[in-house]
């Protein structure tokens, strides 16, 4: 059995790591990937750069840990906020998933889908976070750790969509389709919508993509008919 001192030390270490992750979140949103440095992360943190180097040898290791932390938080908080698993109708559940991963993530205002978090932590959404994620994703082709984290996140969303579509087909809500194929199409289209939203001067791309997915996929292609 561990001593009270050991448990306190582990708790303190966990709190420090969480504080480092939130500082990295703020610094990345503020400065972007290319201009990010350990010092800029420390500037958002009430401790020294020595503390950051103690926990993470390099900026790449820190960012890899941050990406895992961020994506896990996105899954947990979006699932909790929208109570996705409690939505019984597969069509409604799929619509909420699309909204959570597209218009909410890029920060399009929607009073029914809040993205603000408790206390002073940065919101899990908005253009700055979307741009930061896009920059990290661009590195994934040459960074195996980043690629693995994005793959885990993709697989979670894909599995959730596939299960929802399969349930809809079984209930007769959706027509007979290949659930994996539809889930891949939805995720790829939403990624394009987020990327264009933060990289163009147009401010309606994400909402247009969302409405097109609803009209052409959720309400047309997928919906079962009596013909």
């Amino acid at each position: 059995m561990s001593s009270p001192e050991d448990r306190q030390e582990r708790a303190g270490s966990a709190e420090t790591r969480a504080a480092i992750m939130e500082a990295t979140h703020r610094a990345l949103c503020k400065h972007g990937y290319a201009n990010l440095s350990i010092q800029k992360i420390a500037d958002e943190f009430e401790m020294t750069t020595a503390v950051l180097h103690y926990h993470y040898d390099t900026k790449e290791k820190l960012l890899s840990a941050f990406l895992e932390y961020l994506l896990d938080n996105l899954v947990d908080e979006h699932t909790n906020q929208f109570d996705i698993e409690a939505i019984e109708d597969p069509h409604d559940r799929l619509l909420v998933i699309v909204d959570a991963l597209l218009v909410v993530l890029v920060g399009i205002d929607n009073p029914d889908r809040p993205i603000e978090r408790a206390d002073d932590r940065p919101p899990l959404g908005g253009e700055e976070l979307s741009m930061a994620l896009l920059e990290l994703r661009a590195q994934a082709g040459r960074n195996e750790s980043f690629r693995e984290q994005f793959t885990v996140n993709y697989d979670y969303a894909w599995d959730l969509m596939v299960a929802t579509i399969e349930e809809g087909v079984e209930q007769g809500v959706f027509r007979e389709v290949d659930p994996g194929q539809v889930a891949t199409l939805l995720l790829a289209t939403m990624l394009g919508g987020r990327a264009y939203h933060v990289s163009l001067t147009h401010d309606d791309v994400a909402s247009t993509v969302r409405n097109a997915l609803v009209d052409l996929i959720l309400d047309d292609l997928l919906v079962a008919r009596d013909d």
Side-chain angles (χ1 to χ4, degrees):
M1 178 181 293
S2 60
S3 68
E5 290 79 8
D6 290 337
R7 290 195 295 272
Q8 184 175 1
E9 182 178 351
R10 285 199 299 272
S13 178
E15 290 175 2
T16 298
R17 288 178 184 273
I20 291 172
M21 295 299 99
E22 295 301 332
T24 304
H25 188 163
R26 289 189 291 270
L28 186 61
C29 288
K30 184 181 295 184
H31 303 288
Y33 176 83
N35 297 317
L36 188 67
S37 67
I38 292 293
Q39 182 58 59
K40 288 176 179 176
I41 295 173
D43 290 343
E44 303 288 337
F45 188 56
E46 295 180 355
M47 296 186 188
T48 66
T49 55
V51 175
L52 294 176
H53 284 295
Y54 174 79
H55 288 280
Y56 303 99
D57 294 339
T58 66
K59 185 180 80 170
E60 292 305 312
K61 289 183 179 179
L62 171 54
L63 285 175
S64 178
F66 167 72
L67 186 57
E68 179 179 9
Y69 174 86
L70 175 65
L71 295 177
D72 285 347
N73 271 269
L74 280 170
V75 169
D76 291 342
E77 297 218 14
H78 280 170
T79 299
N80 291 335
Q81 284 189 32
F82 306 134
D83 205 9
I84 291 173
E85 295 181 357
I87 301 174
E88 295 184 1
D89 183 82
H91 179 277
D92 292 344
R93 191 187 315 146
L94 196 57
L95 175 60
V96 170
I97 295 170
V98 168
D99 279 347
L101 296 180
L102 182 52
V103 293
V104 173
L105 195 54
V106 299
I108 295 176
D109 291 338
N110 186 334
D112 296 325
R113 305 229 196 296
I115 59 173
E116 297 296 330
R117 302 160 79 194
D119 55 59
D120 63 346
R121 293 181 298 169
L124 286 174
E127 288 194 12
E128 289 182 342
L129 178 61
S130 295
M131 284 189 286
L133 281 171
L134 186 60
E135 289 179 300
L136 290 173
R137 190 180 294 276
Q139 307 300 315
R142 298 182 182 277
N143 187 311
E144 188 64 27
S145 179
F146 286 7
R147 183 184 298 183
E148 289 175 359
Q149 293 302 327
F150 279 118
T151 300
V152 169
N153 184 255
Y154 174 91
D155 288 346
Y156 172 84
W158 190 88
D159 288 342
L160 183 60
M161 283 188 167
V162 166
T164 299
I165 296 168
E166 287 177 341
E167 185 177 338
V169 171
E170 291 174 1
Q171 294 180 7
V173 175
F174 297 148
R175 67 178 67 183
E176 291 287 342
V177 295
D178 182 328
Q181 194 176 61
V182 175
T184 301
L185 174 63
L186 289 172
L187 286 169
T189 304
M190 287 190 290
L191 174 59
R194 295 196 304 269
Y196 278 126
H197 183 81
V198 299
S199 59
L200 302 178
T201 58
H202 307 305
D203 60 5
D204 61 347
V205 175
S207 58
T208 300
V209 170
R210 183 265 184 198
N211 292 337
L213 287 176
V214 172
D215 293 343
L216 302 177
I217 305 297
L218 272 67
D219 289 349
D220 185 15
L221 177 63
L222 280 180
V223 174
R225 290 178 170 76
D226 296 328
D227 46 32

